[in-house]
Amino acid sequence: MPYEPPTHTVERSLRATTGAKIVAGIDEVGRGAWAGPVSVCAAVTGLRRPPDGLTDSKLLTPKRRTELCDVLANWVTSYALGHSSPEEIDALGMTAALRLAAVRALEALPVQPDAIILDGKHDYLGAPWRVRTVIKGDQSCIAVAAASVIAKVRRDTMMAELGQEYADFDFAANAGYPSPTHRTALEEYGPTPYHRVSWSYMDALPRWQHLKKVRVTPEAAALEAGGQLGFDF
């Protein structure tokens, strides 16, 4: 299916309206997985013409994503990755874990950005960051598209490496997301140390119920009460 290539339109607007000189695009991967970290990439691209074929990572084949990631790693001005572990996701909930991973990525950049383009409709970063949210920013904004490809390829590589240790879960194929093979392995062997054991999929594993965790931190409780732990952003 044809798609419109991403542009620098939002970045140019941010520069013009806020005076920002360095703008980073942010995208995440792993939010809906049962296992593995949630990973965030922050990418700074400047206003140069992007590599051919750049778009949202979900629109690319695995082979093309990997090829493009190699090109992007040398093309972007800078990029950095941040991760929140399954333990942090269980303790804090997804919204807080996303913020933690994003802050880690931003703080790892060699120069801090003046403004951020964040994929989605909800700003999970907040102050002190100057954020512009863009729905489907991974398709429309060059910096966010670059971040989406790098984040996806790097996390998939991490999960494939875990798959060597836990072959029955087939992490190389499913990257920790739900799949028939993944579900069967969970029923047989229970969750690995890399699973998010506070999640509702554990309710369908009566043999392993004793391993389920409940978020009890004040921050997590506040987020739950505010309805901020959904997956609608």
Side-chain angles (χ1 to χ4, degrees), residues 27-41:
D27 200 16
E28 54 75 26
V29 65
R31 187 173 58 204
W34 286 347
V38 64
S39 301
V40 173
C41 181

Side-chain angles (χ1 to χ4, degrees), residues 107-159:
E107 291 182 343
L109 289 172
V111 179
Q112 296 298 284
D114 304 306
I116 293 160
I117 304 171
L118 182 64
D119 181 53
K121 66 180 180 180
H122 288 294
D123 176 9
Y124 57 76
L125 261 174
W129 309 97
R130 178 184 290 167
V131 176
R132 174 80 59 87
T133 57
V134 179
I135 296 173
K136 294 188 177 179
D138 47 11
Q139 294 183 34
S140 61
C141 302
I142 288 172
V144 181
S148 79
V149 172
I150 294 171
K152 174 64 174 169
V153 173
R154 295 289 191 259
R155 185 182 182 278
D156 281 359
T157 300
M158 292 171 60
M159 295 306 296

Side-chain angles (χ1 to χ4, degrees), residues 86-97:
E87 293 85 359
E88 290 168 330
I89 295 169
D90 284 334
L92 300 174
M94 184 52 70
T95 300

Side-chain angles (χ1 to χ4, degrees), residues 5-8 11 45-46 48-50 54 75 137 140-147:
T7 69
H8 289 300
E11 181 169 341
T45 66
R48 292 171 296 152
R49 179 178 176 177
L54 177 63
W75 175 79
S140 61
C141 302
I142 288 172
V144 181

